[in-house]
Amino acid sequence: MTGWSTRPRWSGPCPAGERLPNTLDVSIDGVVGRDLLAAAPGVAASTGSACRSGVPTPSPVLTAMGMDSARALGALRLSLGRWSTPRDVATAARLLTAAVIGDAVPAAGGR
């Protein structure tokens, strides 16, 4: 992606013992979460809370944590379930990376 950062950042506490072991909330600078999911078919993830599905506003939880609106709109929540495998994780990582690096996702604000 030309002209802006594609640095991934996770949300919440950094020490492993203070995080849920099966959930990762990550954002990529300059990328809107729903656009990223649209560009990575086959990845099942969430861009906000279930009660606000389809509402293109920042997550109130993430903004309450002090996250700015642009970054909150870019957040993806990835979760592992009982039947998730290492291969599932690798596939999701590959698809999300390919969507960002392959310029399949429009730059935030570039519409």
Side-chain angles (χ1 to χ4, degrees), residues 9-24:
R9 300 194 291 171
W10 61 82
S11 307
C14 294
E18 296 179 21
R19 302 179 65 83
L20 291 173
N22 69 322
T23 305
L24 172 67

Side-chain angles (χ1 to χ4, degrees), residues 17-75:
E18 296 179 21
R19 302 179 65 83
L20 291 173
N22 69 322
T23 305
L24 172 67
D25 189 277
V26 64
S27 59
I28 299 172
D29 291 345
V31 174
V32 176
R34 70 175 187 268
D35 293 341
L36 177 53
L37 284 182
V43 175
S46 175
T47 58
S49 59
C51 63
R52 297 181 61 82
S53 180
V55 179
T57 57
S59 161
V61 172
L62 296 177
T63 54
M65 291 171 47
M67 189 179 293
D68 65 72
S69 295
R71 185 168 166 214
L73 282 172

